Amino acid sequence: GQNIDQPTEMTATEGAIVQINCTYQTSGFNGLFWYQQHAGEAPTFLSYNVLDGLEEKGRFSSFLSRSKGYSYLLLKELQMKDSASYLCAVRDPPFTGGGNKLTFGTGTQLKVEL
Amino acid sequence: DVKVTQSSRYLVKRTGEKVFLECVQDMDHENMFWYRQDPGLGLRLIYFSYDVKMKEKGDIPEGYSVSREKKERFSLILESASTNQTSMYLCASRGQGTIYGYTFGSGTRLTVV
């Protein structure tokens, strides 16, 4: 099975940088995803890491260390619209049908303040 | 451009009713999933399907069943709704070889009274 941990809540200031951590213990690993979810809306894809290292995409970056079971999402130049829940999810290795299901952490609620 | 559509945004049902939640995707995806999302518990997988007429139990299948008669449609069925099934239900789909994880529908908030 999968066990994924991330902080429940974080608060940061507009314009600042925030790092949201995610640790996982898994019986198999086939990639790690970060999703953003605004209140009352569906999760939307932010980033994907399958190899160790940093993936940068505009103001958002995601890092993975497979040996440590650790990832983080880095948000730069925070904006008020970044206030949302950030979900870490680990993909299982393919089963016979190739479904590659995702197991999600409970999410980190980020509040951006002025 | 909505690609995964859930038929209802809000539903209120009575205890004991049989409830159908419908999900349709227009991306020709093989894999479809049903999650429920509850505060403090995150998204938990109920059932998934990797092909027409194929289904697999997720982490919390009790009290639910599913149907996938056509590739584009994946239905979640609550055989006899109970108050502990009050939740946000999210459908998602994913194509083979896609690295971008899931595309989610906008969710159905179900209240069982």
Side-chain angles (χ1 to χ4, degrees):
Chain A
Q2 316 283 31
N3 185 36
I4 301 170
D5 291 309
Q6 49 183 132
T8 303
E9 295 179 337
M10 298 182 71
T11 301
T13 304
E14 188 179 36
I17 299 173
V18 71
Q19 178 174 312
I20 303 174
N21 296 324
C22 172
T23 58
Y24 62 91
Q25 299 88 39
T26 62
S27 56
F29 180 83
N30 191 27
L32 187 143
F33 293 80
W34 284 96
Y35 281 80
Q36 180 190 60
Q37 186 178 26
H38 285 100
E41 297 182 11
T44 55
F45 169 81
L46 285 179
S47 69
Y48 168 72
N49 296 72
V50 67
L51 299 177
D52 291 352
L54 188 69
E55 294 282 341
E56 297 187 80
K57 190 185 295 184
R59 294 190 298 116
F60 291 55
S61 303
S62 57
F63 172 83
L64 175 67
S65 169
R66 289 172 296 170
S67 62
K68 295 182 180 178
Y70 170 67
S71 174
Y72 67 72
L73 180 70
L74 194 71
L75 290 76
K76 304 175 187 175
E77 302 170 13
L78 280 173
Q79 302 174 10
M80 298 298 288
K81 68 178 182 180
D82 297 329
S83 293
S85 182
Y86 291 85
L87 311 177
C88 173
V90 173
R91 184 164 67 178
D92 289 357
F95 74 114
T96 53
N100 291 172
K101 65 185 181 73
L102 290 182
T103 300
F104 285 83
T106 55
T108 298
Q109 186 65 44
L110 174 66
K111 182 178 180 182
V112 180
E113 298 178 329
L114 290 171
Chain B
D1 54 339
V2 176
K3 294 183 174 63
V4 179
T5 303
Q6 294 184 230
S7 54
S8 303
R9 191 80 170 99
Y10 298 94
L11 273 180
V12 180
K13 296 292 182 180
R14 296 193 179 277
T15 301
E17 276 193 78
K18 190 169 186 177
V19 181
F20 293 85
L21 302 183
E22 304 290 344
C23 175
V24 177
Q25 51 95 2
D26 64 358
M27 296 171 287
D28 202 35
H29 282 173
E30 293 81 6
N31 304 303
M32 297 187 74
F33 307 82
W34 274 106
Y35 284 85
R36 63 177 284 177
Q37 186 173 29
D38 301 286
L41 297 176
L43 278 82
R44 293 179 292 166
L45 182 63
I46 304 171
Y47 266 96
F48 61 103
S49 168
Y50 55 87
D51 203 350
V52 175
K53 297 191 184 295
M54 305 303 289
K55 60 184 179 183
E56 292 284 339
K57 293 180 179 179
D59 300 317
I60 51 165
E62 296 77 18
Y64 303 94
S65 62
V66 290
S67 172
R68 191 156 181 210
E69 296 297 317
K70 294 184 179 181
K71 191 176 186 180
E72 67 269 20
R73 184 181 296 271
F74 191 36
S75 303
L76 180 69
I77 304 158
L78 285 67
E79 298 290 343
S80 177
S82 63
T83 55
N84 63 13
Q85 292 178 309
T86 292
S87 185
M88 170 67 85
Y89 290 87
L90 288 162
C91 174
S93 73
R94 174 185 171 269
Q96 290 292 87
T98 301
I99 69 167
Y100 297 108
Y102 298 173
T103 300
F104 282 89
S106 54
T108 296
R109 182 162 294 283
L110 173 68
T111 301
V112 182
V113 297

